[in-house]
Amino acid sequence: LGLRSPRSPCAKPCPSLPAGSQLPCFHGSSTIRNLKERFHMNMTEEQLQLLIEQMVDGSMRSITTKLYDGFQYLTNGIM
Protein backbone atom coordinates (compact mmCIF):
# COMPACT_ATOMS: atom_id res chain seq x y z
CA LEU A 1 0.00 0.00 0.00
CA GLY A 2 2.82 2.39 0.83
CA LEU A 3 4.40 1.97 -2.59
CA ARG A 4 1.30 3.42 -4.23
CA SER A 5 1.96 6.79 -2.59
CA PRO A 6 2.75 9.55 -5.09
CA ARG A 7 5.91 10.22 -3.06
CA SER A 8 7.17 6.68 -3.58
CA PRO A 9 9.84 6.25 -6.24
CA CYS A 10 8.08 3.01 -7.22
CA ALA A 11 4.79 4.73 -7.95
CA LYS A 12 6.02 6.04 -11.30
CA PRO A 13 8.88 3.79 -12.41
CA CYS A 14 8.55 4.46 -16.13
CA PRO A 15 10.05 7.97 -16.31
CA SER A 16 13.15 6.76 -14.49
CA LEU A 17 13.83 4.05 -17.07
CA PRO A 18 16.21 5.02 -19.85
CA ALA A 19 14.51 5.51 -23.19
CA GLY A 20 15.39 2.72 -25.61
CA SER A 21 16.84 0.53 -22.86
CA GLN A 22 18.91 -2.36 -24.20
CA LEU A 23 18.04 -4.52 -21.20
CA PRO A 24 16.18 -7.59 -22.48
CA CYS A 25 13.75 -7.49 -19.56
CA PHE A 26 12.35 -4.16 -20.85
CA HIS A 27 11.79 -5.24 -24.45
CA GLY A 28 8.18 -5.52 -25.46
CA SER A 29 5.24 -3.40 -24.47
CA SER A 30 3.91 -5.78 -21.82
CA THR A 31 6.78 -5.41 -19.34
CA ILE A 32 5.95 -1.91 -18.11
CA ARG A 33 2.20 -2.55 -18.30
CA ASN A 34 2.60 -5.68 -16.16
CA LEU A 35 4.68 -3.73 -13.65
CA LYS A 36 2.03 -1.02 -13.40
CA GLU A 37 -0.73 -3.61 -12.97
CA ARG A 38 0.99 -4.97 -9.86
CA PHE A 39 0.20 -1.69 -8.07
CA HIS A 40 -3.57 -2.18 -8.65
CA MET A 41 -4.12 1.57 -8.99
CA ASN A 42 -7.73 0.92 -10.03
CA MET A 43 -8.54 -0.40 -6.53
CA THR A 44 -9.32 1.54 -3.40
CA GLU A 45 -7.05 1.02 -0.40
CA GLU A 46 -9.75 -1.11 1.22
CA GLN A 47 -10.07 -3.32 -1.87
CA LEU A 48 -6.30 -3.68 -2.13
CA GLN A 49 -6.01 -4.52 1.57
CA LEU A 50 -8.57 -7.31 1.09
CA LEU A 51 -6.70 -8.61 -1.97
CA ILE A 52 -3.41 -8.63 -0.04
CA GLU A 53 -5.01 -10.52 2.84
CA GLN A 54 -6.44 -13.07 0.40
CA MET A 55 -3.04 -13.51 -1.25
CA VAL A 56 -1.29 -14.02 2.10
CA ASP A 57 -3.96 -16.47 3.28
CA GLY A 58 -3.63 -18.42 0.03
CA SER A 59 0.12 -18.50 0.35
CA MET A 60 -0.02 -19.73 3.93
CA ARG A 61 -2.21 -22.68 2.85
CA SER A 62 -0.12 -23.49 -0.23
CA ILE A 63 1.92 -26.68 -0.32
CA THR A 64 4.48 -24.96 -2.53
CA THR A 65 5.02 -22.30 0.15
CA LYS A 66 5.62 -25.02 2.73
CA LEU A 67 8.03 -26.83 0.39
CA TYR A 68 9.94 -23.62 -0.35
CA ASP A 69 10.11 -22.76 3.36
CA GLY A 70 11.50 -26.23 4.04
CA PHE A 71 14.06 -25.80 1.27
CA GLN A 72 15.15 -22.42 2.70
CA TYR A 73 15.48 -23.95 6.15
CA LEU A 74 17.57 -26.89 4.94
CA THR A 75 19.85 -24.90 2.63
CA ASN A 76 20.16 -21.58 4.47
CA GLY A 77 18.91 -22.14 8.00
CA ILE A 78 16.11 -19.64 7.38
CA MET A 79 13.00 -20.42 9.36
Side-chain angles (χ1 to χ4, degrees):
L1 289 173
L3 292 176
R4 293 182 358 147
S5 165
R7 293 183 301 269
S8 171
C10 295
K12 296 180 183 174
C14 298
S16 64
L17 297 174
S21 173
Q22 298 303 308
L23 296 172
C25 59
F26 291 111
H27 288 194
S29 60
S30 65
T31 304
I32 300 302
R33 185 179 64 248
N34 291 341
L35 178 62
K36 287 180 177 181
E37 286 175 3
R38 287 179 177 238
F39 287 97
H40 300 283
M41 297 304 286
N42 59 324
M43 293 182 166
T44 65
E45 282 197 26
E46 293 80 18
Q47 291 171 326
L48 184 56
Q49 184 66 39
L50 181 60
L51 175 64
I52 292 169
E53 289 173 9
Q54 291 170 344
M55 291 170 69
V56 170
D57 287 344
S59 178
M60 289 174 60
R61 289 189 303 270
S62 171
I63 185 65
T64 55
T65 298
K66 290 175 179 48
L67 290 171
Y68 183 74
D69 288 348
F71 172 79
Q72 286 293 329
Y73 178 71
L74 290 173
T75 59
N76 300 312
I78 298 172
M79 188 72 138

